[in-house]
Amino acid sequence: MDCDIKEVCRNIRCDTVMSIGRLGVGHIGGCLSVVDLLAVLYFEEMRIDPKQPRMAGRDRFICSKGHAGPAVYATLANRGYFEKDLLLTLNAGGTNLPSHCDMNRTAGIDMTTGSLGQGFSCAVGAALGSQVEGDGATIYTLIGDGESQEGQIWEAAMFAAAKKLDNLIAFTDCNGYQIDGAVAEVNDVAPLADKWAAFGWHVIDVAEGNDPFAIKDAIERAKRNRGGGKPTMVLLRTVKGCGVSFIEAMGALNHNAALSEEDACRAVAEIRGV
Amino acid sequence: MEMRAVYAEVMAGLMEADKHVCIVDADLSRASGTLGLYKRFPNQMFDCGVAEQNMASIAAGLASYGFKPWIESFTPFATRRVCDQIAISILYAKRNVKVVGTDPGISAELNGGTHMSMEDVGVLRSLPGIVIFEPVDDIQLRAALPVINDYDGCVYVRLFRKELPRVFGEGYRFDLFKADILREGKDISIFVSGLPTPDTLEAAKRLEAEGVSAEVVNVHTVKPIDRETVVASARRTGAVLTVENHNVIGGLHSAVLEALAREKIPVCAVGVEDRFGEVGKLPYLRETFGLTPENVVRRAKEALKLK
């Protein structure tokens, strides 16, 4: 798509903040840290059609860190899957936009996620399905650095490499925090690059994980890796709460934080630079 | 013919007919009887190795791609170990995945307590939308598998692996949601699932010799239970006994009690009395856990006294 990707990121950030602000609470930190990835995937990389969300042979994105649902919804709305008004129904009773991604409720969601570790396995299963079908699709998936503590992640990692699923491009949102504190202090997952390489993956480490151009470059490198028989893990070194200084400053406390409508407006002003 | 051989044979036919039917295993294909299918169906047989959680969610991912996966492992690992994956990746996400658990209850025999699940039906029965089926012989299994494959949703198949005496004849007509009355009677209804079915029929014969007419009903599908047949039979006889190779908490006994909650009818139980399994051969385990014709007769008489 021909677009100003930085402007797309700003729009998604603002819509994410406003949808959570309407509700007063939400997983704001881990949503804002992945906005740039979502923008690049849905606006520049994925073979998709918002008018045909279940199109055969489409590329798929499975957000294993399902709590980033609000950021995914804002991305889908900006991409034209549904009206932006719907974003303000986030988490309201009867909504089609629940806090964690639900494929049976939301157009454009490729897998129901939220129980950490499982979405990643599901993505590996989808990549296996695509490989068997030979439809040429790319399967993208996103996990959290805290989520990397789940044993199931490593079961799936081993399997994906063993089955040579080079149609699978995974991302880790390395924002450094989880609910109880810094990942390094709670139960350190480092060194992630070495771990993924040891599991037989092609690893790309992106120091500027919130730079859409760096992300795009990493995805292009991952795509060139296709045919090499290895799945790719892109480690995105991100900032939890990225783009809003008072949310960034909360650290671990921004995982699931209170956010008033006034706060949200303040955040939007900062994102817009006004 | 061993139950696993029937399972493998029917699955081969289903995979032959539909390239989207597949099996995802976790290093127990040899035990499940499906190891021989890998060469024949390389794009429909997947082994995750010893990683059951991954197996369950991989299957959900394949289902999201239009496949109809069956996952298989020993009963405890196909159920309680992957309970959350079945709950979320499969049931909550509405993915069409079938779950096969082999060696239910005491049939784990020499693998002992760690492999002997007395609680699998209870663990899964409270998950919304799941269907739970336990075959009693090769004829019923052969009839059931294509029906289950065609059913759009998660079905748990509690599969005894080895040979079982036949309960049904060749003319058997299977309905996944309808219990089978094996023997009509007027004094007591005995609802039985799985392995203890032949012993329960033997107990009914012994009761008859003592002047008690027992109705024996095979509840092959514990969820959703065939409430209509269960309630009608219980009302007709006025006394109930349940017989199962499972903890009396959470399985058939609980399901029958729920169905009969508004009836003033005594319900007694033969089953595992809230304890873990232990190692041994079937004759020893049947005695130890009370899954014998003698115990069925004894408990049936207790129920009759309560009428």
Side-chain angles (χ1 to χ4, degrees):
Chain A
M1 265 185 105
D2 194 18
C3 62
D4 175 354
I5 195 68
K6 289 260 188 188
E7 178 64 10
V8 170
C9 294
R10 282 191 289 272
N11 292 341
I12 296 171
R13 276 204 164 78
C14 289
D15 289 333
T16 303
V17 164
M18 289 309 292
S19 66
I20 290 176
R22 167 63 68 96
L23 198 71
V25 65
H27 293 102
I28 187 69
C31 279
L32 291 175
S33 60
V34 299
V35 163
D36 312 283
L37 168 67
L38 295 171
V40 172
L41 284 176
Y42 280 91
F43 282 79
E44 299 198 332
E45 294 294 338
M46 287 171 69
R47 185 176 60 186
I48 46 172
D49 179 357
K51 301 298 168 221
Q52 302 178 74
R54 298 273 164 115
M55 179 177 74
R58 71 187 183 281
D59 290 344
R60 300 188 190 209
F61 172 68
I62 295 176
C63 188
S64 190
K65 48 169 283 184
H67 52 282
V72 180
Y73 306 148
T75 307
L76 292 172
N78 275 277
R79 187 67 174 82
Y81 279 83
F82 45 80
E83 294 297 321
K84 278 195 178 186
D85 291 354
L86 202 60
L87 295 175
L88 297 178
T89 70
L90 179 72
N91 273 346
T95 186
N96 282 324
L97 303 181
S99 60
H100 297 77
C101 300
D102 188 332
M103 68 187 298
N104 296 304
R105 287 188 177 272
T106 315
I109 294 294
D110 287 318
M111 189 65 210
T112 298
T113 54
S115 185
L116 294 177
Q118 294 187 29
F120 185 65
S121 274
C122 294
V124 172
L128 179 64
S130 174
Q131 186 191 62
V132 170
E133 296 284 31
D135 61 7
T138 301
I139 309 302
Y140 298 93
T141 185
L142 168 67
I143 63 174
D145 48 1
E147 184 181 6
S148 306
Q149 293 159 348
E150 289 280 6
Q152 186 170 358
I153 293 289
W154 303 100
E155 290 185 2
M158 196 185 300
F159 181 87
K163 300 298 174 193
K164 305 186 188 321
L165 299 177
D166 58 11
N167 57 345
L168 177 65
I169 300 177
F171 304 87
T172 303
D173 175 22
C174 302
N175 60 41
Y177 288 107
Q178 58 189 115
I179 295 173
D180 280 354
V183 174
E185 287 169 14
V186 173
N187 186 14
D188 199 359
V189 297
L192 278 179
D194 292 348
K195 284 190 171 83
W196 286 98
F199 271 76
W201 285 55
H202 173 225
V203 182
I204 300 172
D205 208 329
V206 179
E208 300 296 330
N210 290 111
D211 174 358
F213 301 105
I215 296 168
K216 187 173 170 59
D217 178 61
I219 295 172
E220 295 302 326
R221 283 170 60 197
K223 282 184 171 172
R224 284 198 295 277
N225 181 52
R226 193 157 180 160
K230 283 184 176 186
T232 295
M233 170 54 76
V234 180
L235 300 171
L236 298 173
R237 308 294 170 174
T238 61
V239 174
K240 199 160 185 172
C242 182
V244 182
S245 53
F246 71 89
I247 299 176
E248 288 179 18
M250 293 166 75
L253 294 177
N254 73 21
H255 180 84
N256 191 9
L259 189 79
S260 66
E261 285 199 84
E262 197 178 51
D263 290 337
C265 291
R266 202 150 55 93
V268 166
E270 183 180 338
I271 294 163
R272 293 282 179 217
V274 292
Chain B
M1 194 170 178
E2 286 197 334
M3 296 287 273
R4 61 180 157 186
V6 173
Y7 165 64
E9 188 182 304
V10 176
M11 289 307 298
L14 294 172
M15 288 196 279
E16 189 74 55
D18 181 351
K19 70 182 176 69
H20 285 122
V21 175
C22 60
I23 291 177
V24 187
D25 191 276
D27 197 39
L28 280 173
S29 302
R30 194 184 298 277
S32 304
T34 52
L35 190 65
L37 301 180
Y38 281 87
K39 275 192 182 152
R40 196 168 149 200
F41 302 101
N43 286 326
Q44 290 161 273
M45 293 291 302
F46 308 107
D47 200 332
C48 290
V50 191
E52 295 82 6
Q53 302 175 110
N54 191 41
M55 167 182 73
S57 296
I58 287 268
L62 282 164
S64 78
Y65 232 86
F67 286 79
K68 298 174 186 170
W70 292 59
I71 61 174
E72 54 184 31
S73 183
F74 285 146
T75 302
F77 315 131
T79 63
R80 65 171 188 237
R81 188 177 187 117
V82 295
C83 185
D84 191 47
Q85 282 75 14
I86 292 176
I88 300 303
S89 291
I90 297 174
L91 287 163
Y92 183 71
K94 297 192 170 86
R95 296 301 88 199
N96 185 8
V97 176
K98 309 300 188 278
V99 180
V100 178
T102 61
D103 280 8
I106 61 169
S107 71
E109 290 192 292
L110 300 186
N111 272 325
T114 56
H115 288 51
M116 203 168 277
S117 65
M118 307 302 196
E119 70 298 304
D120 52 314
V121 175
V123 165
L124 296 187
R125 204 166 64 87
S126 56
L127 298 178
I130 196 167
V131 173
I132 300 175
F133 165 74
E134 181 168 13
V136 294
D137 70 4
D138 63 320
I139 289 178
Q140 190 182 56
L141 177 64
R142 198 178 283 280
L145 290 171
V147 174
I148 291 168
N149 188 61
D150 286 343
Y151 177 80
D152 186 12
C154 182
V155 181
Y156 171 50
V157 179
R158 195 173 195 248
L159 183 66
F160 185 86
R161 283 192 292 149
K162 297 173 186 167
E163 199 157 337
L164 283 173
R166 279 196 171 162
V167 170
F168 293 102
E170 291 292 351
Y172 174 59
R173 289 176 68 88
F174 176 75
D175 183 333
L176 182 58
F177 300 109
K178 206 79 198 148
D180 292 308
I181 298 175
L182 302 179
R183 175 195 164 106
E184 292 187 345
K186 57 183 176 47
D187 298 326
I188 185 168
S189 302
I190 306 181
F191 300 113
V192 59
S193 62
L195 185 65
T197 303
D199 280 343
T200 300
L201 287 166
E202 168 60 25
K205 270 191 206 165
R206 295 185 193 178
L207 284 165
E208 185 164 35
E210 297 184 41
V212 175
S213 167
E215 178 148 297
V216 178
V217 181
N218 172 227
V219 184
H220 52 67
T221 298
V222 175
K223 186 183 178 185
I225 194 164
D226 177 3
R227 187 178 290 266
E228 192 184 339
T229 299
V230 167
V231 172
S233 176
R235 282 183 184 165
R236 208 161 48 238
T237 62
V240 168
L241 178 69
T242 59
V243 184
E244 64 194 306
N245 172 26
H246 186 276
N247 196 338
V248 293
I249 297 172
L252 176 67
H253 184 60
S254 298
V256 167
L257 283 174
E258 289 159 18
L260 297 176
R262 288 165 175 266
E263 311 292 325
K264 289 175 181 162
I265 297 171
V267 184
C268 290
V270 169
V272 178
E273 302 280 350
D274 199 25
R275 55 180 282 199
F276 284 107
E278 61 177 276
V279 78
K281 298 283 275 181
L282 270 183
Y284 167 80
L285 294 167
R286 280 194 168 103
E287 288 292 335
T288 302
F289 291 95
L291 297 172
T292 59
E294 293 75 23
N295 200 34
V296 173
V297 168
R298 187 161 53 241
R299 292 294 164 91
K301 287 178 181 170
E302 285 174 19
L304 286 164
K305 274 189 200 157
L306 294 170
K307 268 174 102 165

